[in-house]
Amino acid sequence: MQIPIKRAIERVPGGMMVVPLALGALLATFAPGTPKFFGSFTGALFSGALTILAVFYVCMGASIDIRATPYILKKGGALFGVKIAVAVLLGILFGHWLGEAPIGAGLFAGLSTLAVVAAMNDTNGGLYMALMGQYGEPRDVGAYSIMSLESGPFLTMVTLGVAGLSAFPWPTLVGSILPLLFGMLLGNLDREMRAFLARAVPVMIPFFAFALGSGLDLAKVWQAGLLGLGLGVAVVVLTGIPLFLADRATGGTGVAGVAAASTAGNAAAVPAIVAAANPAYAEAATHATILVAAAVIVTTVLVPLLTAWTAKAVGAAPAAAPAAAE
């Protein structure tokens, strides 16, 4: 007897990220003593997000071919540049207003520059590639090889520094991008290593998602409520419009730009990494993790719907059945 578990999970937008994240959060909320009770390897599954992410970035880096075609460089570079530019602009604005600390009270309590930058900086690559597999061309899928440089905390740290907030020591900045660079080196020196390591990228997504979710209390996510929903909508609107225009400017239909207007699941880990590197962000990190996780969920629901609507509006018919999403 076979139960189509994988197929069922993939019916959920961004299911391989969202479902394990939700499962971890449910256990953390209703059975918080589970990791300590079982300990050993079971306990490590709940607490190993950073270790799994380090390996994930090595494997992700190996999938990046530095000999990308001119189209991929142009399309991926344009989308990458616009996404980072929006995050930098918002980082400067919010940094001037808030500094490193979150808002302490009121309707926007918990919102911080860290939360905004982390949510805006990183595109959900699995979701983008799945949507482009359906509504775009193979070379549009390949554009993510450039956009994947957004992955990890490095650009968030740089953005916060550009915004005039607390800087990070250079070893920390280099260390945040070394796994990705090491993977790129391995993958480009040996195509067999690229094929070997790249296969692990989708496999690790549910594992680090579960570990991230196990650090979230759903009661606090519920408290984030409208603020988390608002941050997710802001990501789609504030990055989606300039990304749509950038895609059109580089000869695309605009569909790829809308498909990139999301928050990556691993962005939920960035606030904790940033706070570990610089204690000035410790107060903001807990709330930021919850808000970014909410933005992940909101954008994984909204972006496929808006991409489908945009594709219909511009006459880009679906090319194939949807692939698995991150």
Side-chain angles (χ1 to χ4, degrees):
M1 178 182 176
Q2 293 288 302
I3 301 175
I5 298 173
K6 181 173 180 288
R7 195 174 302 167
I9 292 174
E10 289 174 345
R11 288 197 182 103
V12 179
M16 280 299 177
M17 177 72 208
V18 173
V19 172
L21 186 80
L23 179 60
L26 285 170
L27 284 170
T29 303
F30 299 107
T34 302
K36 187 176 180 180
F37 179 80
F38 287 105
S40 190
F41 298 119
T42 300
L45 280 174
F46 287 78
S47 59
L50 295 185
T51 302
I52 299 171
L53 279 165
V55 180
F56 174 81
Y57 290 133
V58 172
C59 297
M60 173 67 79
S63 70
I64 300 173
D65 189 349
I66 60 174
R67 298 171 301 174
T69 63
Y71 177 88
I72 290 174
L73 286 171
K74 180 178 71 172
K75 174 63 67 68
L79 298 180
F80 170 82
V82 167
K83 197 80 184 282
I84 299 305
V86 171
V88 169
L89 177 60
L90 291 173
I92 292 172
L93 293 174
F94 277 85
H96 178 74
W97 176 35
L98 296 177
E100 294 88 353
I103 296 175
L107 181 63
F108 297 100
L111 184 65
S112 63
T113 309
L114 175 60
V116 172
V117 172
M120 298 286 174
N121 247 343
D122 200 349
T123 297
N124 185 328
L127 186 62
Y128 170 83
M129 289 185 284
L131 291 170
M132 285 298 93
Q134 184 176 8
Y135 298 107
E137 302 175 13
R139 60 182 186 170
D140 291 317
V141 177
Y144 186 70
S145 63
I146 306 299
M147 296 162 63
S148 63
L149 294 171
E150 300 166 356
S151 296
F154 176 75
L155 286 172
T156 296
M157 292 180 181
V158 171
T159 301
L160 292 170
V162 171
L165 303 181
S166 296
F168 298 83
W170 72 263
T172 299
L173 283 173
V174 174
S176 68
I177 201 172
L178 269 181
L180 193 73
L181 294 178
F182 179 63
M184 289 177 65
L185 179 65
L186 284 176
N188 284 278
L189 287 177
D190 185 352
R191 66 174 64 93
E192 291 183 3
M193 282 297 292
R194 173 183 296 146
F196 172 70
L197 292 172
R199 284 195 294 268
V201 171
V203 174
M204 276 185 281
I205 290 170
F207 290 100
F208 75 67
F210 176 80
L212 289 173
S214 68
L216 298 176
D217 186 334
L218 287 177
K220 294 179 180 177
V221 175
W222 177 257
Q223 291 168 10
L226 291 177
L227 187 58
L229 173 64
L231 181 59
V233 172
V235 171
V236 175
V237 174
L238 296 180
T239 67
I241 293 173
L243 284 169
F244 174 85
L245 296 175
D247 186 23
R248 299 280 291 190
T250 54
T253 61
V255 175
V258 176
S262 61
T263 300
N266 53 46
V270 168
I273 299 172
V274 169
N278 190 332
Y281 297 95
E283 185 182 357
T286 301
H287 293 291
T289 298
I290 295 169
L291 290 173
V292 174
V296 172
I297 296 170
V298 171
T299 59
T300 54
V301 172
L302 288 182
V303 167
L305 298 175
L306 289 173
T307 302
W309 180 84
T310 304
K312 184 178 180 180
V314 300
E326 181 182 341

